[in-house]
Amino acid sequence: MDIIRIKESIRKSARALYRSLPLILGTILLVSLMLALIPKSFYLKIFTNNQILDPLIGSFIGSVSAGNPLVSYIIGGELLKQGISLLAVISFIVAWVTVGIIQLPAESFMLGKKFAIIRNISAFILAILVAVATVLILGVFS
Amino acid sequence: MMKEKLKDINKAWYFLMIVLLGYIILFCVNKESFFLTIDTFISILTKIIPIFILVFVLMAITNYFITPKFISKHIETDKGIKKWVFAVVGGILSTGPIYMWYPLLADLREKGLSNGLIACFLYNRAVKIPLIPLMIIYFKWQLVIVLTFVMILASLIQGFLINKFTREEKQNENSNSI
């Protein structure tokens, strides 16, 4: 073990984390604001029971939401119980964890604006495609 | 170069200040919601601190062992599939909020990790092994298995697409500069 290299590695990591500190703190503050101000019942009011529109709505709502995926499973389970389509619910929970509109400023800053935009747009579309593929596969095997 | 870096750092602080301004407005408009938000913030922060330490340790380890020389050697010698398997497994096993991993990924990209692999890693963070039992409670186990499989597949598709887009972009930039 090279002590100088260890020190240098620690210094480099500390510098990188210090640079991202305002973004991490800002993102946590923004996520807290959304979690505290948007009630869970809000999500139940926005679906239309349209098979084409609902997955889009699901993916959109999942994209602008943030927080523990656990919350998305709870809301998704409730939505299913309310009669919302499986396509919409899967789009919603997948977009919740794969698209990060709230984290976009942090992602753009750290990984580049173009990368962040392409990644989030493709994740939005993929959330719908993943839902369609999952429902189709489940339909074939059931 | 140094000026640009300083500009970026300032932008990050501006972002924090704008969010804090939102909190000040909320405090003036609705004190109850403000304190509710602060409670949520503290609970998230306390959960995040151990992950922050873990990320710092992982960054220090990667900085020590994974040098640009090491990466370039492996990028040249490792077979393609190995790298993708690394991104998939790494994404699934990583914990904590997505934004905690940005500094490490940015660092790894500087060492040569492709955009597609970073996107693949980030997508696989959506597959949460500790939460699978809970997911099975809300949805059926068949759905959980199929969804997990389809999501891993989607992560690879996204990775390939992003590699293609960013590579084409780089090529265009190179040809323009020539």
Side-chain angles (χ1 to χ4, degrees), chain A residues 94-112:
Chain A
V94 173
W96 182 294
V97 281
T98 56
V99 186
I101 299 295
I102 292 183
Q103 296 96 326
L104 200 63
E107 187 174 345
S108 301
F109 178 75
M110 295 307 295
L111 301 169

Side-chain angles (χ1 to χ4, degrees), chain A residues 2 5 13 29 111 119 122, chain B residues 8 23 63-64 109 158:
Chain A
D2 184 343
R5 258 185 71 198
S13 311
L29 283 164
L111 301 169
R119 195 193 74 77
S122 57
Chain B
D8 281 346
Y23 270 71
N63 272 327
Y64 184 83
R109 186 164 62 180
Q158 192 188 41

